[in-house]
């Protein structure tokens, strides 16, 4: 049993790792206080199709931005690698080292061995399906951080972290190996992400970052004798709800986990900001002794405002069956509606000039959001709406208008109206 004092102390050391699929998301992670960010470059990562991946030329900018804010950087090189890609892989790992990237996340032994041979820190991906202390001991010769299999319970994770301490299992840096787990975001129906459904149907391998997410779709059941077809209703039986551990975060800290990974490199910057903020605040609350049911409920409602397929706590509490999404796509309680872009910003009066490009409107009192590479994510309520002729109650397509903001915005930033989703399902 972990003492209250130890729990508070441990919570203060847990790293929140945010997903970054764009410079907007990188800035959002900075704003939210992430301890680390992870991202992909090119095709050798598990989100090569679903995220807007960076290029080799982006590595230095990412590293400089993150390091300037005290944030660690992790490059995902976590697909399986074929012989013809070995040179590409080596070039990528070399570039990561030259740019000052903190570590790479990998599963293929060719990547792991090469990274270690040139002195690049390695973190073991969930694709390695580390489920016991002996597997972890093997990877400890290469890696300082290991992601345990997603299917483990917290009891099993705690047994592994206890064994690390008792057996003094250390990584290449000479420090005790740290355990990382997924804390929030999309879950795959397969064992630690090793799925072949997309490969079997369309020759796009999930293990090569090219999953087409067939599991998220609606299916028919067909009687082969009568040709009767039935829609599998109410549940998308291969599409799990999203993982959400905000309500069991104290148990996760008690289990000895030291890195919390937020899934979502293919999701928007506001998702990155909201989710990272919530988990940072929850860890701080544990450290301060203010982690209460009321605060957990408030964080959960905030998490529901951004993309999600419904929530469950995964297998961490010993569940043997998953919970399935009740419908296709996001169940977020808020929706962003694209309006246009920021055309100018006036610092002294703190006024932004914007133009509406779409067939939408924005009114005084509406909630709006601005997303940009330098701005990150800015959210506010419309006040001081003006056209050239003076104050107005509403603006529409084609209007060049201004409004007051409490923070600087930048030309080219995208502007959205934020609506509450009222549909009932």
């Amino acid at each position: 049993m972990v003492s209250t004092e130890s729990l508070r102390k441990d919570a203060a050391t847990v790293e929140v790792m945010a997903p970054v699929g764009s410079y907007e998301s990188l800035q959002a992670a900075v704003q939210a206080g992430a301890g680390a960010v992870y991202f992909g470059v090119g095709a050798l990562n598990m989100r090569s199709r679903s995220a807007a991946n960076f290029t080799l030329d982006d590595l230095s900018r990412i590293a400089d931005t993150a390091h300037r804010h005290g944030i660690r950087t992790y490059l995902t090189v976590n697909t399986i690698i074929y012989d013809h890609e070995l040179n590409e892989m080596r070039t990528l790992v070399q570039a990561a080292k030259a740019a000052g990237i903190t570590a790479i996340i990998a599963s293929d032994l060719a990547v792991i061995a090469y990274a270690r041979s040139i002195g690049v820190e390695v973190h073991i991906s969930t694709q390695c399906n580390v489920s016991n202390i002996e597997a972890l001991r093997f990877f400890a010769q290469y890696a300082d951080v290991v992601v345990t299999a997603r299917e483990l319970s917290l009891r099993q994770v705690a047994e592994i972290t206890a064994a690390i301490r008792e057996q003094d299992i250390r990584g290449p840096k000479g420090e005790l190996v740290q355990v990382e787990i997924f804390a929030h975001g999309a879950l795959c129906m397969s064992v630690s992400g090793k799925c072949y459904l997309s490969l079997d149907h369309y020759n796009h391998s999930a293990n090569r970052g090219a999953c087409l997410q067939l599991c998220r779709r609606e299916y028919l059941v067909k009687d082969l004798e009568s040709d009767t077809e039935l829609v599998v209703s109410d549940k998308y039986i291969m599409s799990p709800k999203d993982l959400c551990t905000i309500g069991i975060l104290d148990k996760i800290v008690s289990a000895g986990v030291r890195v919390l990974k937020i899934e979502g490199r293919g999701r928007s910057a506001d998702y990155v900001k909201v989710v990272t903020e919530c988990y940072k605040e929850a860890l701080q609350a544990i450290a301060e002794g203010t982690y209460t049911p009321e605060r957990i409920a408030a964080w959960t409602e905030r998490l529901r405002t951004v993309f999600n397929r419904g929530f469950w706590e995964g297998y961490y509490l010993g569940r043997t069956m998953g919970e399935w999404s009740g419908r296709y796509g996001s169940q977020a309680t808020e929706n962003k509606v694209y309006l246009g872009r920021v055309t100018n910003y006036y610092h002294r009066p703190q006024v932004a000039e914007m133009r509406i490009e779409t067939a939408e409107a924005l009114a005084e009192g509406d909630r709006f959001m601005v997303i940009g590479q330098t701005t990150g994510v800015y959210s506010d309520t419309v006040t001081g709406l003006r056209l050239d002729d003076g104050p107005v109650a509403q603006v529409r397509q084609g209007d060049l208008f201004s409004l007051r903001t409490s923070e600087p915005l930048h030309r080219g930033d995208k502007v959205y109206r934020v609506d509450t989703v009222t549909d009932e399902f």
Side-chain angles (χ1 to χ4, degrees):
M1 177 70 74
V2 177
S3 69
T4 301
E5 186 59 33
S6 294
L7 179 64
R8 292 186 179 185
K9 189 179 298 183
D10 290 343
T13 68
V14 173
E15 175 181 278
V16 176
M17 181 168 57
V20 169
S22 65
Y23 282 115
E24 291 84 355
S25 291
L26 175 59
Q27 189 60 34
V30 170
Q31 291 174 321
V37 295
Y38 69 104
F39 55 94
V41 166
L44 303 182
N45 74 89
M46 294 298 289
R47 290 293 182 271
S48 61
R49 285 182 64 94
S50 61
N53 290 277
F54 296 102
T55 68
L56 286 176
D57 294 335
D58 293 309
L59 284 174
S60 293
R61 177 178 170 185
I62 294 169
D64 290 345
T65 300
H67 295 168
R68 192 165 60 247
H69 294 90
I71 296 174
R72 287 172 285 277
T73 49
Y74 305 139
L75 172 65
T76 57
V77 193
N78 54 351
T79 60
I80 57 175
I81 305 293
Y82 294 140
D83 278 332
H84 71 273
E85 295 168 324
L86 289 173
N87 286 337
E88 180 184 355
M89 176 273 290
R90 293 178 186 123
T91 298
L92 178 56
V93 177
Q94 290 166 6
K97 180 179 181 179
I101 299 301
T102 308
I104 65 164
I105 302 172
S107 60
D108 193 299
L109 282 171
V111 183
I112 294 167
Y114 180 71
R116 289 305 312 142
S117 74
I118 65 169
V120 173
E121 182 177 329
V122 173
H123 295 183
I124 296 300
S125 168
T126 188
Q127 306 301 120
C128 287
N129 196 30
V130 175
S131 304
N132 58 72
I133 192 61
E134 293 304 324
L136 185 139
R137 189 195 312 280
F138 170 80
F139 285 112
Q141 63 187 304
Y142 303 104
D144 298 286
V145 176
V146 173
V147 182
T148 50
R150 298 182 193 180
E151 295 74 36
L152 295 188
S153 67
L154 284 182
R155 178 185 59 78
Q156 292 171 308
V157 172
E159 289 171 354
I160 289 174
T161 61
I164 291 172
R165 295 189 299 272
E166 292 164 2
Q167 299 175 29
D168 197 38
I169 301 175
R170 297 177 181 268
K173 291 194 300 186
E175 300 174 359
L176 290 175
V177 173
Q178 291 188 332
V179 166
E180 172 188 322
I181 69 168
F182 282 82
H184 192 92
L187 280 175
C188 180
M189 67 169 182
S190 63
V191 175
S192 285
K194 291 189 177 296
C195 179
Y196 298 92
L197 186 63
S198 184
L199 177 66
D200 179 70
H201 281 63
Y202 293 109
N203 200 31
H204 288 283
S205 173
N207 302 297
R208 299 273 296 156
C211 181
L212 298 180
Q213 296 198 342
L214 280 73
C215 56
R216 304 295 184 188
R217 303 176 186 177
E218 191 174 46
Y219 281 87
L220 295 172
V221 175
K222 184 175 182 178
D223 180 344
L224 295 180
E225 292 187 7
S226 67
D227 286 336
T228 300
E229 293 182 342
L230 300 173
V231 176
V232 180
S233 60
D234 299 327
K235 302 292 182 185
Y236 282 66
I237 58 173
M238 292 187 290
S239 180
K241 293 180 179 179
D242 281 5
L243 178 66
C244 178
T245 65
I246 202 85
I248 59 170
L249 208 52
D250 55 341
K251 295 180 175 63
I252 289 173
V253 176
S254 295
V257 173
R258 290 298 170 264
V259 183
L260 300 179
K261 185 172 189 175
I262 297 168
E263 186 279 335
R265 282 190 287 136
R267 296 187 180 178
S268 60
D270 54 306
Y271 169 92
V272 173
K273 186 178 181 183
V274 168
V275 177
T276 305
E277 281 180 341
C278 286
Y279 280 85
K280 284 287 293 185
E281 290 173 13
L283 285 170
Q284 184 176 355
I286 294 171
E288 295 173 350
T290 59
Y291 180 76
T292 63
E294 293 75 20
R295 298 195 70 183
I296 291 169
W299 288 315
T300 303
E301 286 309 303
R302 280 170 60 191
L303 291 168
R304 292 188 191 282
T305 65
V306 292
F307 189 105
N308 71 86
R309 296 183 180 90
F311 292 141
W312 72 306
E313 75 286 346
Y315 300 101
Y316 293 135
L317 299 185
R319 301 277 292 277
T320 57
M321 288 291 291
E323 288 192 15
W324 310 110
S325 177
R327 59 184 172 92
Y328 184 79
S330 178
Q331 299 179 28
T333 59
E334 293 183 356
N335 181 46
K336 301 194 306 295
V337 178
Y338 178 71
L339 299 178
R341 293 180 182 268
V342 174
T343 56
N344 214 336
Y345 187 79
Y346 303 95
H347 288 269
R348 184 166 294 178
Q350 292 187 301
V351 168
E353 180 187 80
M354 305 175 179
R355 185 183 298 277
I356 294 187
E357 302 170 351
T358 62
E360 296 289 343
L362 185 67
E364 192 80 13
D366 281 349
R367 290 181 300 149
F368 72 100
M369 181 181 295
V370 178
I371 298 177
Q373 291 189 6
T374 303
T375 299
V377 179
Y378 174 78
S379 301
D380 207 342
T381 300
V382 175
T383 57
L385 197 60
R386 297 180 65 88
L387 288 173
D388 289 339
D389 296 336
V392 293
Q394 188 180 71
V395 290
R396 296 185 176 275
Q397 186 173 21
D399 286 343
L400 183 67
F401 65 97
S402 64
L403 52 75
R404 290 193 296 270
T405 66
S406 60
E407 296 178 14
L409 304 180
H410 299 83
R411 291 179 183 176
D413 287 353
K414 293 182 179 180
V415 182
Y416 302 85
R417 188 182 68 238
V418 180
D419 296 341
T420 300
V421 176
T422 57
D423 293 340
E424 295 294 334
F425 291 89

